[in-house]
Amino acid sequence: MQGGQMIVEENAKLSSVLTPSKPSYIQSLTKIVGTLGPNSRSVEVIEACLKAGMSVARFDFSWLDEDYHQETLENLRMAMKNTKKLCAIMLDTTGPELQVCNKTGNPIEFKADSHVTVTSDLSKELCADVLPVDYAELAKMVQKGDTVYLGQHLFTGHETTSVWLEVLETKGQDVVCLVKNSATLAGSMFTVYMSNVLINLPTLTEHDKQVISKWGSRNNVDFISLSYTCHAEDVKELRDFLKKQNLSQTQIYAKVETVEGLKHFDEILQEADGIIFGRGNLGIDLPPEKVFLFQKYAMNKCNIVGKPVVITRVVDSMTGNLRPTRAEATDVANAVLDGADGIMLGAETLRGLYPVESIKIVGKICAEAENVYNHTLHYKRIIRHVEEPMSHAESVASSAVLNFLIN
């Protein structure tokens, strides 16, 4: 794990803090992934996102259908044409995600210390007392004392939009839970996440395969984010499937977001083209004081083997606020200083009130961190792990980097 001594250049003095940031015509080297959705799918807004620094557009297939996402993609293509800016396409799989469907779309209010029943009986109506989930083995997977999270922001600190449940008992298909915090959930779909419980469902679901074979193949997507990657075999299975769909050039980014994925991280890294460090769910599975340890370990490993790593859940508060918190701004900078190659924005751009501003601010923070990053020390650290003898391509690239750093 890299130490704090290599983070910034010695010339990053107080004057650089007090000097106003200069407008840059060169976007940050750290790539910004923006998730397109209701508040960011018009041509005009996408154009602004591209100008602000978005270089990868993420299409999250855990909600809505292919037609909706296709329309958004056509808008993206029009925006790219208008702005003359390129943007890669990332398809994000659903994976073994459990969901509650709110057909009416009416807000549902939960009160702390009340009881709610999570059930696999889909004949029951959704209300504040009953939550039907399409998973037959639900009651078999949990036990008294387990933690269940429900919402759209999964326990990010915005507790008015996520619910923390504690399992009290199981009765047949039903799981009776205690509501730990008051919250009002709005929207058509809520995610159910059971902390540290391994769901008996495939990582690459039939729904995912259908989306990839139709929408992914039709649009020749650049990246696939494989949600809930737990083993190297998950990546291998997807790669084999992509070859059958004539998508062998599509890169696979393994989304590591559970303790099971953490346990098999090294093997997953060997098979994947890149890593997405999904701090949303992993931040639930791990104690808060442990998240940063794995983040630093994972990014260090990715840097050493030369594979891109993307960090998620950085400026959650910008879903409803014009500025990030001080902690969030520092978090983005520290991710860059730790070696992150990309920052992924989810709800901030999907349905947040300030999608363009979120991209702009994250880009500015990334650029500022890159400006004081100790590239020379980072290069020396990485070069120690390169196998000898170097390949011709590696040798030329290494010499070019060294020449750039010296000059």
Side-chain angles (χ1 to χ4, degrees), residues 1-2 265-266 269 296-309 338-339 341 373 378-387 394:
M1 188 178 296
Q2 57 203 50
F265 179 79
D266 291 348
L269 180 59
K296 289 181 178 291
Y297 170 83
M299 286 199 282
N300 184 47
K301 279 281 191 177
C302 291
N303 289 170
I304 287 173
V305 301
K307 291 188 177 181
V309 55
D338 282 342
D341 299 284
Y373 190 82
H378 179 70
Y379 171 81
K380 291 178 179 178
R381 182 178 65 87
I382 294 296
I383 206 70
R384 291 200 301 267
H385 297 276
V386 177
E387 294 182 2
E394 185 100 36

PDB file of all heavy atoms in Angstrom, residues 1-2 265-266 269 296-309 338-339 341 373 378-387 394:
ATOM      1  N   MET A   1       0.845  -1.192   0.000  1.00  0.00           N
ATOM      2  CA  MET A   1       0.000   0.000   0.000  1.00  0.00           C
ATOM      3  C   MET A   1       0.879   1.239   0.000  1.00  0.00           C
ATOM      4  O   MET A   1       1.841   1.324   0.754  1.00  0.00           O
ATOM      5  CB  MET A   1      -0.886  -0.025   1.232  1.00  0.00           C
ATOM      6  CG  MET A   1      -1.944   1.072   1.257  1.00  0.00           C
ATOM      7  SD  MET A   1      -2.965   0.924   2.731  1.00  0.00           S
ATOM      8  CE  MET A   1      -3.731  -0.666   2.440  1.00  0.00           C
ATOM      9  N   GLN A   2       0.582   2.188  -0.851  1.00  0.00           N
ATOM     10  CA  GLN A   2       1.413   3.363  -0.964  1.00  0.00           C
ATOM     11  C   GLN A   2       1.226   4.284   0.231  1.00  0.00           C
ATOM     12  O   GLN A   2       0.160   4.426   0.782  1.00  0.00           O
ATOM     13  CB  GLN A   2       1.101   4.128  -2.249  1.00  0.00           C
ATOM     14  CG  GLN A   2      -0.351   4.538  -2.387  1.00  0.00           C
ATOM     15  CD  GLN A   2      -0.723   4.766  -3.827  1.00  0.00           C
ATOM     16  OE1 GLN A   2      -0.460   3.936  -4.669  1.00  0.00           O
ATOM     17  NE2 GLN A   2      -1.317   5.909  -4.110  1.00  0.00           N
ATOM     18  N   PHE A 265     -10.590 -10.682  -5.194  1.00  0.00           N
ATOM     19  CA  PHE A 265     -10.218  -9.516  -5.994  1.00  0.00           C
ATOM     20  C   PHE A 265      -9.031  -9.783  -6.912  1.00  0.00           C
ATOM     21  O   PHE A 265      -9.045  -9.415  -8.093  1.00  0.00           O
ATOM     22  CB  PHE A 265      -9.908  -8.321  -5.089  1.00  0.00           C
ATOM     23  CG  PHE A 265      -9.498  -7.091  -5.860  1.00  0.00           C
ATOM     24  CD1 PHE A 265     -10.459  -6.299  -6.481  1.00  0.00           C
ATOM     25  CD2 PHE A 265      -8.160  -6.743  -5.996  1.00  0.00           C
ATOM     26  CE1 PHE A 265     -10.092  -5.186  -7.218  1.00  0.00           C
ATOM     27  CE2 PHE A 265      -7.785  -5.624  -6.728  1.00  0.00           C
ATOM     28  CZ  PHE A 265      -8.756  -4.847  -7.334  1.00  0.00           C
ATOM     29  N   ASP A 266      -7.990 -10.415  -6.392  1.00  0.00           N
ATOM     30  CA  ASP A 266      -6.779 -10.626  -7.200  1.00  0.00           C
ATOM     31  C   ASP A 266      -7.071 -11.461  -8.441  1.00  0.00           C
ATOM     32  O   ASP A 266      -6.560 -11.164  -9.534  1.00  0.00           O
ATOM     33  CB  ASP A 266      -5.695 -11.295  -6.353  1.00  0.00           C
ATOM     34  CG  ASP A 266      -5.145 -10.369  -5.269  1.00  0.00           C
ATOM     35  OD1 ASP A 266      -5.442  -9.161  -5.325  1.00  0.00           O
ATOM     36  OD2 ASP A 266      -4.436 -10.859  -4.366  1.00  0.00           O
ATOM     37  N   LEU A 269      -9.099  -9.368 -10.932  1.00  0.00           N
ATOM     38  CA  LEU A 269      -8.242  -8.382 -11.591  1.00  0.00           C
ATOM     39  C   LEU A 269      -7.472  -8.994 -12.757  1.00  0.00           C
ATOM     40  O   LEU A 269      -7.288  -8.355 -13.793  1.00  0.00           O
ATOM     41  CB  LEU A 269      -7.275  -7.775 -10.571  1.00  0.00           C
ATOM     42  CG  LEU A 269      -6.297  -6.721 -11.091  1.00  0.00           C
ATOM     43  CD1 LEU A 269      -7.035  -5.534 -11.714  1.00  0.00           C
ATOM     44  CD2 LEU A 269      -5.374  -6.251  -9.966  1.00  0.00           C
ATOM     45  N   LYS A 296      -7.651   1.621  -1.121  1.00  0.00           N
ATOM     46  CA  LYS A 296      -6.230   1.867  -1.381  1.00  0.00           C
ATOM     47  C   LYS A 296      -5.533   0.609  -1.883  1.00  0.00           C
ATOM     48  O   LYS A 296      -4.711   0.665  -2.798  1.00  0.00           O
ATOM     49  CB  LYS A 296      -5.552   2.396  -0.114  1.00  0.00           C
ATOM     50  CG  LYS A 296      -5.957   3.826   0.232  1.00  0.00           C
ATOM     51  CD  LYS A 296      -5.258   4.325   1.482  1.00  0.00           C
ATOM     52  CE  LYS A 296      -5.657   5.767   1.774  1.00  0.00           C
ATOM     53  NZ  LYS A 296      -5.125   6.706   0.775  1.00  0.00           N
ATOM     54  N   TYR A 297      -5.889  -0.540  -1.293  1.00  0.00           N
ATOM     55  CA  TYR A 297      -5.310  -1.800  -1.736  1.00  0.00           C
ATOM     56  C   TYR A 297      -5.668  -2.082  -3.193  1.00  0.00           C
ATOM     57  O   TYR A 297      -4.808  -2.423  -4.013  1.00  0.00           O
ATOM     58  CB  TYR A 297      -5.810  -2.938  -0.848  1.00  0.00           C
ATOM     59  CG  TYR A 297      -5.466  -4.320  -1.361  1.00  0.00           C
ATOM     60  CD1 TYR A 297      -4.227  -4.884  -1.101  1.00  0.00           C
ATOM     61  CD2 TYR A 297      -6.375  -5.047  -2.127  1.00  0.00           C
ATOM     62  CE1 TYR A 297      -3.897  -6.141  -1.575  1.00  0.00           C
ATOM     63  CE2 TYR A 297      -6.068  -6.303  -2.609  1.00  0.00           C
ATOM     64  CZ  TYR A 297      -4.822  -6.848  -2.327  1.00  0.00           C
ATOM     65  OH  TYR A 297      -4.494  -8.086  -2.825  1.00  0.00           O
ATOM     66  N   ALA A 298      -6.943  -1.925  -3.517  1.00  0.00           N
ATOM     67  CA  ALA A 298      -7.424  -2.239  -4.868  1.00  0.00           C
ATOM     68  C   ALA A 298      -6.793  -1.318  -5.904  1.00  0.00           C
ATOM     69  O   ALA A 298      -6.359  -1.773  -6.976  1.00  0.00           O
ATOM     70  CB  ALA A 298      -8.945  -2.127  -4.910  1.00  0.00           C
ATOM     71  N   MET A 299      -6.733  -0.028  -5.618  1.00  0.00           N
ATOM     72  CA  MET A 299      -6.163   0.908  -6.591  1.00  0.00           C
ATOM     73  C   MET A 299      -4.672   0.679  -6.773  1.00  0.00           C
ATOM     74  O   MET A 299      -4.143   0.780  -7.881  1.00  0.00           O
ATOM     75  CB  MET A 299      -6.462   2.345  -6.169  1.00  0.00           C
ATOM     76  CG  MET A 299      -7.912   2.730  -6.391  1.00  0.00           C
ATOM     77  SD  MET A 299      -8.217   4.497  -6.433  1.00  0.00           S
ATOM     78  CE  MET A 299      -8.164   4.845  -4.699  1.00  0.00           C
ATOM     79  N   ASN A 300      -3.979   0.362  -5.687  1.00  0.00           N
ATOM     80  CA  ASN A 300      -2.558   0.059  -5.792  1.00  0.00           C
ATOM     81  C   ASN A 300      -2.326  -1.156  -6.686  1.00  0.00           C
ATOM     82  O   ASN A 300      -1.444  -1.157  -7.555  1.00  0.00           O
ATOM     83  CB  ASN A 300      -1.990  -0.182  -4.397  1.00  0.00           C
ATOM     84  CG  ASN A 300      -0.489  -0.406  -4.420  1.00  0.00           C
ATOM     85  OD1 ASN A 300       0.253   0.331  -5.057  1.00  0.00           O
ATOM     86  ND2 ASN A 300      -0.044  -1.419  -3.713  1.00  0.00           N
ATOM     87  N   LYS A 301      -3.132  -2.192  -6.490  1.00  0.00           N
ATOM     88  CA  LYS A 301      -3.020  -3.408  -7.302  1.00  0.00           C
ATOM     89  C   LYS A 301      -3.277  -3.113  -8.781  1.00  0.00           C
ATOM     90  O   LYS A 301      -2.567  -3.595  -9.663  1.00  0.00           O
ATOM     91  CB  LYS A 301      -4.022  -4.459  -6.801  1.00  0.00           C
ATOM     92  CG  LYS A 301      -3.562  -5.229  -5.589  1.00  0.00           C
ATOM     93  CD  LYS A 301      -2.585  -6.316  -6.000  1.00  0.00           C
ATOM     94  CE  LYS A 301      -2.299  -7.274  -4.883  1.00  0.00           C
ATOM     95  NZ  LYS A 301      -1.407  -8.377  -5.315  1.00  0.00           N
ATOM     96  N   CYS A 302      -4.327  -2.322  -9.054  1.00  0.00           N
ATOM     97  CA  CYS A 302      -4.663  -1.974 -10.437  1.00  0.00           C
ATOM     98  C   CYS A 302      -3.541  -1.168 -11.084  1.00  0.00           C
ATOM     99  O   CYS A 302      -3.192  -1.386 -12.253  1.00  0.00           O
ATOM    100  CB  CYS A 302      -5.974  -1.190 -10.487  1.00  0.00           C
ATOM    101  SG  CYS A 302      -7.452  -2.141 -10.074  1.00  0.00           S
ATOM    102  N   ASN A 303      -2.986  -0.221 -10.360  1.00  0.00           N
ATOM    103  CA  ASN A 303      -1.890   0.596 -10.883  1.00  0.00           C
ATOM    104  C   ASN A 303      -0.684  -0.265 -11.243  1.00  0.00           C
ATOM    105  O   ASN A 303      -0.047  -0.077 -12.283  1.00  0.00           O
ATOM    106  CB  ASN A 303      -1.466   1.651  -9.860  1.00  0.00           C
ATOM    107  CG  ASN A 303      -2.486   2.768  -9.680  1.00  0.00           C
ATOM    108  OD1 ASN A 303      -2.368   3.570  -8.777  1.00  0.00           O
ATOM    109  ND2 ASN A 303      -3.505   2.819 -10.531  1.00  0.00           N
ATOM    110  N   ILE A 304      -0.362  -1.214 -10.387  1.00  0.00           N
ATOM    111  CA  ILE A 304       0.824  -2.049 -10.595  1.00  0.00           C
ATOM    112  C   ILE A 304       0.685  -2.911 -11.848  1.00  0.00           C
ATOM    113  O   ILE A 304       1.643  -3.061 -12.618  1.00  0.00           O
ATOM    114  CB  ILE A 304       1.083  -2.928  -9.349  1.00  0.00           C
ATOM    115  CG1 ILE A 304       1.620  -2.050  -8.207  1.00  0.00           C
ATOM    116  CG2 ILE A 304       2.074  -4.051  -9.658  1.00  0.00           C
ATOM    117  CD1 ILE A 304       1.750  -2.774  -6.883  1.00  0.00           C
ATOM    118  N   VAL A 305      -0.513  -3.473 -12.072  1.00  0.00           N
ATOM    119  CA  VAL A 305      -0.688  -4.339 -13.250  1.00  0.00           C
ATOM    120  C   VAL A 305      -1.103  -3.550 -14.475  1.00  0.00           C
ATOM    121  O   VAL A 305      -1.248  -4.110 -15.560  1.00  0.00           O
ATOM    122  CB  VAL A 305      -1.715  -5.462 -12.970  1.00  0.00           C
ATOM    123  CG1 VAL A 305      -1.272  -6.316 -11.802  1.00  0.00           C
ATOM    124  CG2 VAL A 305      -3.104  -4.893 -12.725  1.00  0.00           C
ATOM    125  N   GLY A 306      -1.307  -2.235 -14.318  1.00  0.00           N
ATOM    126  CA  GLY A 306      -1.621  -1.386 -15.468  1.00  0.00           C
ATOM    127  C   GLY A 306      -3.040  -1.513 -15.973  1.00  0.00           C
ATOM    128  O   GLY A 306      -3.291  -1.375 -17.178  1.00  0.00           O
ATOM    129  N   LYS A 307      -3.982  -1.753 -15.059  1.00  0.00           N
ATOM    130  CA  LYS A 307      -5.383  -1.833 -15.466  1.00  0.00           C
ATOM    131  C   LYS A 307      -6.174  -0.694 -14.836  1.00  0.00           C
ATOM    132  O   LYS A 307      -5.965  -0.358 -13.669  1.00  0.00           O
ATOM    133  CB  LYS A 307      -5.986  -3.187 -15.071  1.00  0.00           C
ATOM    134  CG  LYS A 307      -5.409  -4.345 -15.877  1.00  0.00           C
ATOM    135  CD  LYS A 307      -6.132  -5.643 -15.616  1.00  0.00           C
ATOM    136  CE  LYS A 307      -5.566  -6.764 -16.496  1.00  0.00           C
ATOM    137  NZ  LYS A 307      -6.270  -8.046 -16.288  1.00  0.00           N
ATOM    138  N   PRO A 308      -7.084  -0.078 -15.603  1.00  0.00           N
ATOM    139  CA  PRO A 308      -7.832   1.086 -15.100  1.00  0.00           C
ATOM    140  C   PRO A 308      -8.723   0.729 -13.919  1.00  0.00           C
ATOM    141  O   PRO A 308      -9.284  -0.367 -13.846  1.00  0.00           O
ATOM    142  CB  PRO A 308      -8.679   1.523 -16.301  1.00  0.00           C
ATOM    143  CG  PRO A 308      -8.050   0.861 -17.489  1.00  0.00           C
ATOM    144  CD  PRO A 308      -7.438  -0.402 -16.995  1.00  0.00           C
ATOM    145  N   VAL A 309      -8.862   1.688 -13.001  1.00  0.00           N
ATOM    146  CA  VAL A 309      -9.755   1.515 -11.866  1.00  0.00           C
ATOM    147  C   VAL A 309     -10.627   2.759 -11.748  1.00  0.00           C
ATOM    148  O   VAL A 309     -10.147   3.885 -11.843  1.00  0.00           O
ATOM    149  CB  VAL A 309      -8.968   1.258 -10.559  1.00  0.00           C
ATOM    150  CG1 VAL A 309      -7.950   2.356 -10.283  1.00  0.00           C
ATOM    151  CG2 VAL A 309      -9.921   1.089  -9.380  1.00  0.00           C
ATOM    152  N   ASP A 338      -4.606   8.604  -5.038  1.00  0.00           N
ATOM    153  CA  ASP A 338      -4.375   7.178  -4.790  1.00  0.00           C
ATOM    154  C   ASP A 338      -4.204   6.390  -6.087  1.00  0.00           C
ATOM    155  O   ASP A 338      -3.849   5.212  -6.047  1.00  0.00           O
ATOM    156  CB  ASP A 338      -5.544   6.582  -4.002  1.00  0.00           C
ATOM    157  CG  ASP A 338      -5.478   6.918  -2.517  1.00  0.00           C
ATOM    158  OD1 ASP A 338      -4.391   7.311  -2.052  1.00  0.00           O
ATOM    159  OD2 ASP A 338      -6.508   6.809  -1.834  1.00  0.00           O
ATOM    160  N   GLY A 339      -4.505   7.022  -7.232  1.00  0.00           N
ATOM    161  CA  GLY A 339      -4.288   6.345  -8.510  1.00  0.00           C
ATOM    162  C   GLY A 339      -5.530   5.994  -9.290  1.00  0.00           C
ATOM    163  O   GLY A 339      -5.468   5.170 -10.213  1.00  0.00           O
ATOM    164  N   ASP A 341      -8.258   6.054 -12.101  1.00  0.00           N
ATOM    165  CA  ASP A 341      -8.240   6.451 -13.516  1.00  0.00           C
ATOM    166  C   ASP A 341      -9.557   7.070 -13.944  1.00  0.00           C
ATOM    167  O   ASP A 341      -9.626   7.740 -14.972  1.00  0.00           O
ATOM    168  CB  ASP A 341      -7.947   5.227 -14.387  1.00  0.00           C
ATOM    169  CG  ASP A 341      -6.600   4.607 -14.063  1.00  0.00           C
ATOM    170  OD1 ASP A 341      -5.576   5.173 -14.471  1.00  0.00           O
ATOM    171  OD2 ASP A 341      -6.587   3.558 -13.379  1.00  0.00           O
ATOM    172  N   TYR A 373       0.119  16.022  -8.266  1.00  0.00           N
ATOM    173  CA  TYR A 373       0.442  14.599  -8.102  1.00  0.00           C
ATOM    174  C   TYR A 373       1.922  14.354  -8.340  1.00  0.00           C
ATOM    175  O   TYR A 373       2.508  14.885  -9.283  1.00  0.00           O
ATOM    176  CB  TYR A 373      -0.391  13.774  -9.092  1.00  0.00           C
ATOM    177  CG  TYR A 373      -0.329  12.282  -8.872  1.00  0.00           C
ATOM    178  CD1 TYR A 373      -1.125  11.681  -7.914  1.00  0.00           C
ATOM    179  CD2 TYR A 373       0.517  11.484  -9.620  1.00  0.00           C
ATOM    180  CE1 TYR A 373      -1.084  10.310  -7.716  1.00  0.00           C
ATOM    181  CE2 TYR A 373       0.569  10.113  -9.436  1.00  0.00           C
ATOM    182  CZ  TYR A 373      -0.239   9.530  -8.478  1.00  0.00           C
ATOM    183  OH  TYR A 373      -0.195   8.173  -8.276  1.00  0.00           O
ATOM    184  N   HIS A 378       5.592   8.136  -8.347  1.00  0.00           N
ATOM    185  CA  HIS A 378       4.637   7.092  -8.744  1.00  0.00           C
ATOM    186  C   HIS A 378       5.244   6.208  -9.837  1.00  0.00           C
ATOM    187  O   HIS A 378       5.131   4.982  -9.791  1.00  0.00           O
ATOM    188  CB  HIS A 378       3.348   7.748  -9.249  1.00  0.00           C
ATOM    189  CG  HIS A 378       2.315   6.773  -9.711  1.00  0.00           C
ATOM    190  ND1 HIS A 378       1.632   5.951  -8.849  1.00  0.00           N
ATOM    191  CD2 HIS A 378       1.846   6.481 -10.954  1.00  0.00           C
ATOM    192  CE1 HIS A 378       0.785   5.193  -9.535  1.00  0.00           C
ATOM    193  NE2 HIS A 378       0.901   5.505 -10.810  1.00  0.00           N
ATOM    194  N   TYR A 379       5.918   6.828 -10.798  1.00  0.00           N
ATOM    195  CA  TYR A 379       6.563   6.080 -11.878  1.00  0.00           C
ATOM    196  C   TYR A 379       7.620   5.128 -11.316  1.00  0.00           C
ATOM    197  O   TYR A 379       7.686   3.954 -11.695  1.00  0.00           O
ATOM    198  CB  TYR A 379       7.188   7.055 -12.869  1.00  0.00           C
ATOM    199  CG  TYR A 379       8.071   6.397 -13.905  1.00  0.00           C
ATOM    200  CD1 TYR A 379       7.524   5.789 -15.032  1.00  0.00           C
ATOM    201  CD2 TYR A 379       9.452   6.353 -13.742  1.00  0.00           C
ATOM    202  CE1 TYR A 379       8.328   5.177 -15.974  1.00  0.00           C
ATOM    203  CE2 TYR A 379      10.269   5.736 -14.671  1.00  0.00           C
ATOM    204  CZ  TYR A 379       9.703   5.152 -15.780  1.00  0.00           C
ATOM    205  OH  TYR A 379      10.509   4.537 -16.706  1.00  0.00           O
ATOM    206  N   LYS A 380       8.430   5.628 -10.401  1.00  0.00           N
ATOM    207  CA  LYS A 380       9.498   4.807  -9.827  1.00  0.00           C
ATOM    208  C   LYS A 380       8.914   3.634  -9.047  1.00  0.00           C
ATOM    209  O   LYS A 380       9.476   2.530  -9.046  1.00  0.00           O
ATOM    210  CB  LYS A 380      10.388   5.652  -8.917  1.00  0.00           C
ATOM    211  CG  LYS A 380      11.227   6.689  -9.667  1.00  0.00           C
ATOM    212  CD  LYS A 380      12.045   7.534  -8.707  1.00  0.00           C
ATOM    213  CE  LYS A 380      12.898   8.560  -9.466  1.00  0.00           C
ATOM    214  NZ  LYS A 380      13.669   9.427  -8.530  1.00  0.00           N
ATOM    215  N   ARG A 381       7.811   3.864  -8.396  1.00  0.00           N
ATOM    216  CA  ARG A 381       7.187   2.785  -7.630  1.00  0.00           C
ATOM    217  C   ARG A 381       6.624   1.707  -8.545  1.00  0.00           C
ATOM    218  O   ARG A 381       6.784   0.507  -8.290  1.00  0.00           O
ATOM    219  CB  ARG A 381       6.062   3.362  -6.755  1.00  0.00           C
ATOM    220  CG  ARG A 381       5.370   2.349  -5.873  1.00  0.00           C
ATOM    221  CD  ARG A 381       4.318   3.010  -5.010  1.00  0.00           C
ATOM    222  NE  ARG A 381       3.242   3.569  -5.822  1.00  0.00           N
ATOM    223  CZ  ARG A 381       2.172   2.879  -6.211  1.00  0.00           C
ATOM    224  NH1 ARG A 381       2.067   1.591  -5.902  1.00  0.00           N
ATOM    225  NH2 ARG A 381       1.234   3.439  -6.930  1.00  0.00           N
ATOM    226  N   ILE A 382       5.982   2.138  -9.626  1.00  0.00           N
ATOM    227  CA  ILE A 382       5.380   1.185 -10.556  1.00  0.00           C
ATOM    228  C   ILE A 382       6.445   0.384 -11.299  1.00  0.00           C
ATOM    229  O   ILE A 382       6.315  -0.829 -11.492  1.00  0.00           O
ATOM    230  CB  ILE A 382       4.472   1.919 -11.576  1.00  0.00           C
ATOM    231  CG1 ILE A 382       3.265   2.548 -10.861  1.00  0.00           C
ATOM    232  CG2 ILE A 382       4.003   0.963 -12.667  1.00  0.00           C
ATOM    233  CD1 ILE A 382       2.333   1.557 -10.219  1.00  0.00           C
ATOM    234  N   ILE A 383       7.516   1.054 -11.696  1.00  0.00           N
ATOM    235  CA  ILE A 383       8.539   0.402 -12.529  1.00  0.00           C
ATOM    236  C   ILE A 383       9.209  -0.751 -11.797  1.00  0.00           C
ATOM    237  O   ILE A 383       9.719  -1.696 -12.412  1.00  0.00           O
ATOM    238  CB  ILE A 383       9.586   1.443 -13.014  1.00  0.00           C
ATOM    239  CG1 ILE A 383      10.241   0.980 -14.320  1.00  0.00           C
ATOM    240  CG2 ILE A 383      10.627   1.715 -11.952  1.00  0.00           C
ATOM    241  CD1 ILE A 383       9.329   1.013 -15.505  1.00  0.00           C
ATOM    242  N   ARG A 384       9.191  -0.698 -10.468  1.00  0.00           N
ATOM    243  CA  ARG A 384       9.814  -1.782  -9.689  1.00  0.00           C
ATOM    244  C   ARG A 384       9.057  -3.091  -9.839  1.00  0.00           C
ATOM    245  O   ARG A 384       9.607  -4.164  -9.590  1.00  0.00           O
ATOM    246  CB  ARG A 384       9.866  -1.400  -8.204  1.00  0.00           C
ATOM    247  CG  ARG A 384      10.817  -0.286  -7.872  1.00  0.00           C
ATOM    248  CD  ARG A 384      11.169  -0.292  -6.382  1.00  0.00           C
ATOM    249  NE  ARG A 384      10.002  -0.144  -5.535  1.00  0.00           N
ATOM    250  CZ  ARG A 384       9.553   1.017  -5.075  1.00  0.00           C
ATOM    251  NH1 ARG A 384      10.201   2.137  -5.392  1.00  0.00           N
ATOM    252  NH2 ARG A 384       8.495   1.069  -4.298  1.00  0.00           N
ATOM    253  N   HIS A 385       7.800  -3.009 -10.241  1.00  0.00           N
ATOM    254  CA  HIS A 385       6.969  -4.208 -10.333  1.00  0.00           C
ATOM    255  C   HIS A 385       6.858  -4.737 -11.770  1.00  0.00           C
ATOM    256  O   HIS A 385       6.176  -5.732 -11.999  1.00  0.00           O
ATOM    257  CB  HIS A 385       5.565  -3.904  -9.800  1.00  0.00           C
ATOM    258  CG  HIS A 385       5.547  -3.541  -8.344  1.00  0.00           C
ATOM    259  ND1 HIS A 385       5.524  -4.489  -7.352  1.00  0.00           N
ATOM    260  CD2 HIS A 385       5.572  -2.330  -7.713  1.00  0.00           C
ATOM    261  CE1 HIS A 385       5.520  -3.887  -6.165  1.00  0.00           C
ATOM    262  NE2 HIS A 385       5.546  -2.577  -6.364  1.00  0.00           N
ATOM    263  N   VAL A 386       7.512  -4.063 -12.716  1.00  0.00           N
ATOM    264  CA  VAL A 386       7.445  -4.510 -14.108  1.00  0.00           C
ATOM    265  C   VAL A 386       8.357  -5.711 -14.298  1.00  0.00           C
ATOM    266  O   VAL A 386       9.518  -5.707 -13.873  1.00  0.00           O
ATOM    267  CB  VAL A 386       7.852  -3.371 -15.069  1.00  0.00           C
ATOM    268  CG1 VAL A 386       7.860  -3.872 -16.510  1.00  0.00           C
ATOM    269  CG2 VAL A 386       6.894  -2.199 -14.919  1.00  0.00           C
ATOM    270  N   GLU A 387       7.832  -6.743 -14.929  1.00  0.00           N
ATOM    271  CA  GLU A 387       8.616  -7.951 -15.151  1.00  0.00           C
ATOM    272  C   GLU A 387       9.763  -7.684 -16.124  1.00  0.00           C
ATOM    273  O   GLU A 387       9.647  -6.882 -17.047  1.00  0.00           O
ATOM    274  CB  GLU A 387       7.725  -9.071 -15.705  1.00  0.00           C
ATOM    275  CG  GLU A 387       6.669  -9.545 -14.721  1.00  0.00           C
ATOM    276  CD  GLU A 387       5.844 -10.683 -15.289  1.00  0.00           C
ATOM    277  OE1 GLU A 387       6.131 -11.105 -16.436  1.00  0.00           O
ATOM    278  OE2 GLU A 387       4.926 -11.151 -14.593  1.00  0.00           O
ATOM    279  N   GLU A 394       6.502  -2.071 -24.042  1.00  0.00           N
ATOM    280  CA  GLU A 394       6.576  -1.566 -22.674  1.00  0.00           C
ATOM    281  C   GLU A 394       7.806  -0.688 -22.488  1.00  0.00           C
ATOM    282  O   GLU A 394       7.764   0.352 -21.825  1.00  0.00           O
ATOM    283  CB  GLU A 394       6.624  -2.739 -21.700  1.00  0.00           C
ATOM    284  CG  GLU A 394       6.574  -2.340 -20.239  1.00  0.00           C
ATOM    285  CD  GLU A 394       5.203  -2.482 -19.629  1.00  0.00           C
ATOM    286  OE1 GLU A 394       4.488  -3.425 -19.996  1.00  0.00           O
ATOM    287  OE2 GLU A 394       4.848  -1.641 -18.791  1.00  0.00           O
TER     288      GLU A 394
END
